């Protein structure tokens, strides 16, 4: 029997998009057809292309209720029309919304057409777009235990879906054009890079490892994902350090598969992926994240012994010491085991189970 199509509606940043990618892979493995819907020309379109997923782009507008901008309202309205026409044609059996403002046209249009919808919330608090879609959603799956604002009867904790794939270390290193001998450090802001990490980390690491990338008997190499728009500035900054590679956007599955430790922000996808791969983290939370949730995310990882949290204001004084603590193999092994204890493995299967339950009408 041919299984039906499930639509994944997503927008915003990598933190919303990669859980959708992970679900698409799982549903395909179970024999379903999938399609992603999101903003035309948005990050989701680029990621869908790289991941070989079928994508339908719609117009999307970000509506700031305190200062409505007519252009954005018009874009949002057009997006709803486009999403509705697409869903009418495709007739999916369910739509799963992952949040981000561009996920709204797909989810609300599905609800208007009577197509069952599920939501997945990646943070400890329900995002604005998810709140708008909450009323008619059959089930709200979550990464955290108790998410404020989700009615208990419809809440299902599944965890944070990540792309469950690991590469052999040598294969990952060769994909990223890195060498097999040195200790490998990943530096990665969120999905758009981090100007703060870009401006500060190269100098701090050069201070520790010099022009040659050496520390005692250790040689070190860095792969730093800086965000496409910062690439020229970053390339100029590290041009005389052969051990310091920069890229606009890194293949994260490869990077996590070969990193010995990583310096990152503390978005929930990044932390979940590090845990899945057992990579120790030095986390610098983004202070402007809603309700400072990145600090809360980072604290949980630190409490488990899987890394250290470094507030932005203490970067210069605390990061060098924290990096040196990650050099000895013993310390890294301990942190890596602690990271694995937080692994979200299985979350994507649980999410797919919830989708199937909704399809059966349970
Ligand atoms: C500024 C902002 O609103 N940030 C939020 C956003 O983070 P944002 O999406 O930036 O960060 P996350 O850490 O959650 O996710 C980043 C994703 O992009 C991937 N990646 C990143 C860089 C790269 O070069 N290659 C690559 O593949 C990572 O592997 C990860 O899967 O959503 C998260 C989940 O809702 C929130 O916790 C963050 O606070």
């Amino acid at each position: 029997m041919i299984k039906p199509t499930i639509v994944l509606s997503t927008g915003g940043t990598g933190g919303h998009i990669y859980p959708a990618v992970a679900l698409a892979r799982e549903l395909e493995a179970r024999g379903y057809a999938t399609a992603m819907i999101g903003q035309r020309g948005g990050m989701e379109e680029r990621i869908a292309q790289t991941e070989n997923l079928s994508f339908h782009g719609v117009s999307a507008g970000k509506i700031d209720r305190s200062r409505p901008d007519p252009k954005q309202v018009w874009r949002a309205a057009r997006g709803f029309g486009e999403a509705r026409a697409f869903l009418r044609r495709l007739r999916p059996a369910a739509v799963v919304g992952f949040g981000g403002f561009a996920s709204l046209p797909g989810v609300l249009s599905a609800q208007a057409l009577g197509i069952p919808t599920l939501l997945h919330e990646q943070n400890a608090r329900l995002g604005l777009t998810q709140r708008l879609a909450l009323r008619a959603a059959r089930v709200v799956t979550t990464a955290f235990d108790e998410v404020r604002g989700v009615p208990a009867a419809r809440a299902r904790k599944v965890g944070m879906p990540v792309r469950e794939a690991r590469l052999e270390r040598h294969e990952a290193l060769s994909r990223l054009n890195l060498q097999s001998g040195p200790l490998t450090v990943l530096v990665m802001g969120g999905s758009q890079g981090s100007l703060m990490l870009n401006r500060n980390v190269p100098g701090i690491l050069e201070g520790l490892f010099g022009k040659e990338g050496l520390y005692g008997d250790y040689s070190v190499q860095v792969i730093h994902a800086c965000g496409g728009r910062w690439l020229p500035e970053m390339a100029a900054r590290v041009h005389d350090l052969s051990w310091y590679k920069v890229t606009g956007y890194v293949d994260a599955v490869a990077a996590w598969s070969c990193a010995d430790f990583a310096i990152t922000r503390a978005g929930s996808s990044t932390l979940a992926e590090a845990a899945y791969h057992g990579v120790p983290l030095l986390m610098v939370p983004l202070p402007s994240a809603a309700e400072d949730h990145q600090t809360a995310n980072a604290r949980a990882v630190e409490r488990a012994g899987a890394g250290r949290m470094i507030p932005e204001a203490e970067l210069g004084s605390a990061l060098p010491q924290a990096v040196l603590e990650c050099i000895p193999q013993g310390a890294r092994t301990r942190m890596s085991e602690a990271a694995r204890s937080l692994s979200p493995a299985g979350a994507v299967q649980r999410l797919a189970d919830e989708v199937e339950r909704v399809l059966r009408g349970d």
Side-chain angles (χ1 to χ4, degrees), residues 12-19 43 47 51 98 121-123 160-163 186-193 224-227 247-253 255-256 264-273 286 288-290 293-294 297:
T13 62
H16 302 295
I17 302 163
Y18 283 113
M43 183 181 282
I47 292 176
E51 300 281 337
F98 287 86
E121 174 55 57
Q122 297 89 41
N123 293 297
M160 185 70 181
V162 296
R163 292 164 283 172
L186 168 66
V187 183
M188 189 167 80
S191 39
Q192 288 147 328
H224 183 142
C226 63
T247 175
Y249 197 79
V250 75
D251 169 348
V253 170
W256 292 121
T264 61
R265 285 296 197 183
S268 48
S269 277
T270 296
L271 302 196
E273 290 167 359
L286 176 75
S288 59
H293 71 257
Q294 290 208 355
N297 289 350

Side-chain angles (χ1 to χ4, degrees), residues 41-316:
M43 183 181 282
E44 51 273 35
E45 178 161 12
R46 191 161 40 78
I47 292 176
Q49 238 164 30
T50 319
E51 300 281 337
N52 243 333
L53 295 172
S54 145
F55 181 81
H56 186 80
V58 298
S59 157
K62 194 168 194 173
I63 300 176
D64 178 346
R65 282 183 299 186
S66 55
R67 257 186 320 134
D69 168 354
K71 226 175 13 198
Q72 296 287 344
V73 173
W74 159 243
R75 281 194 196 134
R78 210 171 69 190
F80 283 103
E82 290 168 349
R84 202 181 162 99
F86 170 66
L87 294 174
R88 270 224 171 98
R89 218 170 44 242
L90 194 69
R91 300 178 173 276
V95 173
V96 188
F98 287 86
F101 70 95
S103 75
L104 216 47
V107 176
L108 293 187
S109 303
Q111 293 177 343
L113 292 168
I115 299 166
T117 56
L118 299 89
L119 305 178
H120 182 272
E121 174 55 57
Q122 297 89 41
N123 293 297
R125 180 172 178 269
L126 209 56
L128 173 64
T129 50
Q130 303 292 56
R131 269 181 275 156
L132 294 173
L134 179 66
R135 206 168 54 90
R138 295 275 173 94
V139 165
V140 184
T141 60
T142 64
F144 287 87
D145 267 330
E146 276 172 29
V147 177
R148 246 189 301 149
V150 181
R154 285 187 286 149
R156 310 271 187 280
K157 184 193 168 186
V158 296
M160 185 70 181
V162 296
R163 292 164 283 172
E164 295 200 4
R166 289 188 187 93
L167 301 178
E168 292 293 337
R169 186 182 165 88
H170 67 88
E171 193 195 336
L173 288 166
S174 101
R175 261 199 215 183
L176 301 176
N177 269 328
L178 295 170
Q179 295 172 13
S180 58
L183 202 70
T184 303
V185 185
L186 168 66
V187 183
M188 189 167 80
S191 39
Q192 288 147 328
S194 154
L195 190 55
M196 194 278 309
L197 293 181
N198 293 351
R199 296 228 158 122
N200 293 292
V201 174
I204 292 175
L205 296 185
E206 186 183 350
L208 294 171
F209 305 129
K211 292 269 181 254
E212 309 299 327
L214 296 172
Y215 186 79
D217 292 338
Y218 288 95
S219 67
V220 177
Q221 65 187 342
V222 172
I223 174 82
H224 183 142
C226 63
R229 66 185 161 140
W230 313 115
L231 191 56
E233 173 184 327
M234 273 300 284
R237 188 166 294 138
V238 301
H239 76 278
D240 57 344
L241 305 177
S242 61
W243 53 276
Y244 204 117
K245 298 257 182 324
V246 292
T247 175
Y249 197 79
V250 75
D251 169 348
V253 170
W256 292 121
S257 298
C258 63
D260 291 298
F261 66 95
I263 302 170
T264 61
R265 285 296 197 183
S268 48
S269 277
T270 296
L271 302 196
E273 290 167 359
Y276 176 79
H277 290 271
V279 177
L281 291 181
L282 304 177
M283 300 156 287
V284 189
L286 176 75
S288 59
E291 293 184 14
D292 202 13
H293 71 257
Q294 290 208 355
T295 298
N297 289 350
R299 283 226 171 89
V301 173
E302 188 173 65
R303 266 198 308 274
R308 284 270 309 273
M309 177 180 91
I310 299 162
E312 234 179 69
E314 293 164 28
L315 192 70

